[in-house]
Amino acid sequence: MSRERLAAQQAELLGALLGQRQDPPGFDRAQLRVQQQAFLDKRRRVVARLRPDLPELLGDRFRSLFERYAAEQPRAAGSKARADAAEFAGWLSRRGELRRRRWLPRR
């Protein structure tokens, strides 16, 4: 197998695991779903670590809202986690999911 063909197949598999492409032929669909969920869980944990205010503000809704966001915004290969966290916050804000905080002056 040529390096180019192997690289194309790897890109196809990665795209499927990130939710950007159809499942490539020859892979067990159930196993692909397990790995896709693991990637989604890791992505959510990283966003929560980078933006701890979001899980705090959203509480129990954090997980389901992040899964909706991730379904609409698959993570591109090579994208940065901080950009993903910022985009999630923007996505929440555009949908009115974040309550505005009232800041009080320090005494």
Side-chain angles (χ1 to χ4, degrees):
M1 179 179 296
S2 74
R3 285 181 163 211
E4 294 81 20
R5 181 159 165 74
L6 179 59
Q9 288 177 327
Q10 287 174 332
E12 191 176 336
L13 176 59
L14 181 59
L17 292 174
L18 294 175
Q20 301 166 329
R21 297 186 181 159
Q22 297 293 325
D23 295 345
F27 286 89
D28 181 286
R29 185 176 173 101
Q31 290 298 323
L32 286 173
R33 296 296 164 267
V34 168
Q35 190 60 50
Q36 286 170 337
Q37 188 63 49
F39 280 160
L40 176 62
D41 292 343
K42 180 179 180 182
R43 183 179 174 190
R44 185 177 46 251
R45 283 192 312 271
V46 169
V47 166
R49 189 179 75 236
L50 292 171
R51 291 290 309 264
D53 58 315
L54 297 178
E56 181 183 312
L57 289 169
L58 297 170
D60 293 339
R61 299 180 316 130
F62 177 76
R63 181 183 185 102
S64 63
L65 286 168
F66 187 84
E67 288 183 4
R68 282 181 32 211
Y69 159 75
E72 292 177 22
Q73 303 286 328
R75 179 127 185 239
S79 64
K80 304 293 183 192
R82 289 190 191 285
D84 194 33
E87 181 57 34
F88 178 49
W91 183 90
L92 290 167
S93 185
R94 288 188 298 275
R95 283 161 181 72
E97 297 291 348
L98 292 178
R99 291 180 226 113
R100 294 188 183 263
R101 289 184 176 184
R102 295 185 72 211
W103 296 101
L104 300 176
R106 288 186 179 178
R107 293 183 182 210

